[in-house]
Amino acid sequence: MANDREVLREVWEGRVPIKFSVSDDDTNCMISEVKPYYILVPRMTYLPLLTGLKSHFNQCIPRDPTKPPLEVWYEYENTPLKWHIPIGVLYDMVGGGKLPWEVKIRISNFPADKLLTLGTNVDETVKQSFVHNVKEAGYMKHQGAVWNHLLPAQTVQLWKGLHRDKFDEFWVVNHRLMEHINNEPYQYIPFRIYTDLHRQYIQKPFKPRIEDNLTTLGDLLNKCLPGSVTATEDKEEPFQVTEGVTIRIQGVCPPLVTPVQWLSEHLSHADNFLYIVALGMPKVVAASTSQPKTTTTTSPPPATEPTGTPDPQQAASPPPGSES
């Protein structure tokens, strides 16, 4: 179980400085001029949950009571930003290290071919997507043995801890989801590899231990993203990141010899998935590793799902290994 509290808190307190401003394409759509909004944003959270941002811009967004509310969305350098991906992952993928990260707010020309709609109950939609991911991760790690015993109030506490950016409130529940059963590592590591924001993510069954050997980040990348690492003759460091490729997890590149079990426990996002960003991959290689696939180890069959859990489609969360 994750027990290095200092590491967990440092990861939780990771922030991205962002400058939000209205896109030039939508300036004329606003009721009045609105100044940019600067904020230090938790890497763990999601764009629609930034309440200060919403209150700053909402007063300038036009509303027609006879029509549905305008769909607010975000973009960076003409790239639509997916609301169901944690902000830290979005920044690692497209931010390019620029600070503050200059994100544009849009209210017109919603790119339905690239983004999921949020609907009118924004917080509930994000919550269902988040809970669905936590549940999926729980089935990958423990076949649902821990998730199925969480009380509804604990699921609510998990969500509220994230929403309100309360480390202790969140981890009182989340530490259970990080437990080892019978001192054994997880069955599979919940991870997603992104090589491009609008290409399918990579998610495959990967064990944290093979026989008596703990598998490492290098092992995972070598198996699941061929071409991202190169084998060496050094037994202590059998892999190195391929020249031209950049690997990011929570904004840093951990040593490739780091056990994936430790990474999953300490560097996963709030939804319990380990997000790995791989930039600079050759396009042919990246495309070949992102083909649709069928996974039978990440979710329970419908008949065994606990009652009261969100339907994946209702949760507006893409199925494993794909993006809308």
Side-chain angles (χ1 to χ4, degrees):
M1 182 179 69
N3 54 16
D4 194 331
R5 195 170 181 82
E6 291 184 4
V7 174
L8 296 176
R9 184 176 288 279
E10 187 170 345
V11 170
W12 181 272
E13 293 179 352
R15 297 291 188 267
V16 178
I18 304 181
K19 172 189 175 183
F20 289 97
S21 58
V22 177
S23 169
D24 291 340
D25 294 332
D26 287 341
T27 300
N28 294 333
C29 301
M30 293 294 182
I31 297 175
S32 60
E33 184 178 354
V34 57
K35 295 181 179 180
Y37 184 76
Y38 293 83
I39 184 175
L40 274 175
V41 176
R43 291 181 59 92
M44 292 283 192
T45 195
Y46 301 86
L47 285 168
L49 300 185
L50 302 179
T51 54
L53 174 67
K54 288 189 286 188
S55 61
H56 180 79
F57 287 98
N58 273 354
Q59 59 184 334
C60 301
I61 296 177
R63 286 173 173 77
D64 185 341
T66 65
K67 298 179 181 179
L70 294 171
E71 184 88 26
V72 177
W73 57 285
Y74 307 87
E75 68 177 7
Y76 174 70
E77 295 186 347
N78 298 317
T79 299
L81 301 177
K82 298 189 174 186
W83 60 261
H84 56 275
I85 298 177
I87 288 175
V89 181
L90 291 173
Y91 175 72
D92 288 346
M93 276 193 284
V94 301
K98 298 177 182 178
L99 296 174
W101 188 25
E102 299 191 10
V103 174
K104 299 296 184 180
I105 292 182
R106 300 295 312 274
I107 59 172
S108 67
N109 300 321
F110 181 80
D113 59 327
K114 293 183 178 180
L115 298 181
L116 298 169
T117 58
L118 277 163
T120 56
N121 193 341
V122 173
D123 281 6
E124 183 62 23
T125 301
V126 179
K127 175 186 174 182
Q128 289 188 14
S129 175
F130 167 76
V131 171
H132 173 65
N133 278 354
V134 177
K135 173 184 172 182
E136 181 182 340
Y139 274 89
M140 294 179 73
K141 289 187 287 188
H142 312 113
Q143 293 187 321
V146 177
W147 171 263
N148 289 346
H149 289 87
L150 285 187
L151 300 174
Q154 291 175 309
T155 304
V156 171
Q157 181 175 338
L158 194 72
W159 164 248
K160 287 185 176 180
L162 168 67
H163 199 337
R164 299 190 293 205
D165 191 27
K166 299 293 184 181
F167 173 84
D168 292 322
E169 182 178 4
F170 177 85
W171 271 98
V172 163
V173 178
N174 198 57
H175 84 278
R176 292 192 56 193
L177 298 172
M178 294 294 179
E179 289 179 346
H180 296 198
I181 295 180
N182 298 324
N183 293 320
E184 291 292 321
Y186 302 151
Q187 182 178 13
Y188 296 102
I189 297 295
F191 75 91
R192 289 172 179 170
I193 300 176
Y194 281 91
T195 60
D196 185 282
L197 182 56
H198 292 289
R199 181 179 286 128
Q200 294 173 181
Y201 59 72
I202 299 162
Q203 179 177 324
K204 301 178 180 180
F206 187 83
K207 290 182 175 293
R209 187 174 67 187
I210 297 178
E211 296 180 348
D212 293 329
N213 299 315
L214 291 175
T215 54
T216 67
L217 175 59
D219 295 324
L220 186 152
L221 291 170
N222 184 55
K223 177 182 178 181
C224 301
L225 189 61
S228 61
V229 295
T230 306
T232 72
E233 296 181 358
D234 188 344
K235 293 183 179 180
E236 298 297 322
E237 298 184 6
F239 297 105
Q240 64 182 13
V241 177
T242 301
E243 184 176 358
V245 175
T246 300
I247 302 297
R248 289 285 181 267
I249 301 176
Q250 292 285 7
V252 300
C253 181
L256 296 182
V257 294
T258 308
V260 291
Q261 177 73 37
W262 189 92
L263 290 173
S264 182
E265 293 178 25
H266 296 86
L267 296 189
S268 288
H269 274 264
D271 63 4
N272 281 226
F273 271 88
L274 183 69
Y275 287 86
I276 303 170
V277 174
L279 302 177
M281 289 292 298
K283 292 188 179 299
V284 174
V285 174
S288 67
T289 56
S290 301
Q291 298 302 312
K293 57 172 182 45
T294 301
T295 301
T296 59
T297 58
T298 58
S299 301
T304 63
E305 291 195 350
T307 58
T309 54
D311 180 273
Q313 294 182 349
Q314 292 177 348
S317 179
S322 66
E323 287 286 354
S324 63

